[in-house]
Amino acid sequence: IFAQPGANTAKSVTCCCSWQRLSIALQNTTSFPQICAVEQLNTTPGANPSPKSSKYFVIEKEKSAQLQEDFFNQPCVNLAKSFLGQILVRKLPDGRELWGRIVETEAYLGGEDEASHSKGGKQTQRNAAMFMKPGTLYVYQIYGIYFCMNVSSQGDGAAVLLRSLEPLQGLDAMRELRRASRKAPSRLLKDWQLCNGPSKLCQAFGIDKAFDQRDLTQDAAIWMVPGQDLPGEQDVVATTRIGIGNRGEWAQKPLRFYLRGNRFVSVVDKKMEREMAARGHSPGS
């Protein structure tokens, strides 16, 4: 029903035939608003195109299958590794969506783990989410100011801490949220500084105690979708966890996992990466 190339547009407008009027209307109507919105994000004048045109963001949202309970229902260490490369999505009250690729995690194994909030299998009001169904958020406060976000896994009291994200969409909103969370005036944060730490990512994504015990498979404000180009074993560094204090042998267990060579990781273990290189484990091989 569309006008042929070279046709006289004025004649088309004046024509009383209903199908021609419909043709003009359709030609002036965007048929795919979601796709146009993505294109607009990628062509905003003066914006930094690198994160918004990232290959990890080129995902048709309608076709992105939300991760379901069967994904989360796996042993803690497996889940911590499986999270790498997946995408966390946060929908703000004003409708804006924040997207971040998970690049660093820590596993906390439950009762036997001396560094876990559920050590000894003790369940409290604070750590109740760690004993709930896989995919439940466990959000706790540290230093009376900051928040950290974990996801429950298979096994009583076991959960994975999300340590760092690679921001993909909504970077301006992330900067606003980070700025609002800090009382003192501060310099403009660079992309790699937005989510490179457990409390930073909670600030950037507007996560607080209100998200504790929410279900990632059901919640309308936060969920996960599959990432693209998921890493292989040779791309994952397994090293010790950070900031757990004196926990004996548990302080030395390699239960932190991150994407090797990713600049959005909070703390890089250069010694472990050299050992991997010496064993012939080059990234992407």
Side-chain angles (χ1 to χ4, degrees), residues 86-188:
Q86 311 296 352
I87 296 173
L88 180 70
V89 183
R90 165 83 163 98
K91 188 171 185 178
L92 299 176
D94 62 9
R96 289 181 294 177
E97 287 187 3
L98 312 178
W99 288 45
R101 182 183 184 227
I102 301 171
V103 298
E104 184 181 5
T105 62
E106 287 182 353
Y108 289 86
L109 307 185
E112 63 175 335
D113 189 342
E114 289 295 316
S116 175
H117 288 179
S118 59
K119 66 178 180 179
K122 185 177 181 180
Q123 184 174 347
T124 65
Q125 184 176 0
R126 181 197 190 200
N127 71 6
M130 300 181 78
F131 295 85
M132 294 181 178
K133 60 175 279 193
T136 301
L137 288 180
Y138 170 43
V139 180
Y140 63 87
Q141 196 169 24
I142 59 174
Y143 308 126
I145 308 173
Y146 306 114
F147 295 94
C148 294
M149 177 169 55
N150 305 255
V151 183
S152 65
S153 67
Q154 194 179 94
D156 282 346
V160 177
L161 172 69
L162 302 184
R163 276 202 62 90
S164 296
L165 302 176
E166 176 183 347
L168 303 177
Q169 176 186 342
L171 277 70
D172 290 340
M174 294 181 199
R175 287 190 176 89
E176 292 173 15
L177 289 164
R178 286 291 312 278
R179 188 181 303 115
S181 67
R182 292 174 294 169
K183 297 180 180 179
S186 57
R187 67 186 187 282
L188 186 68

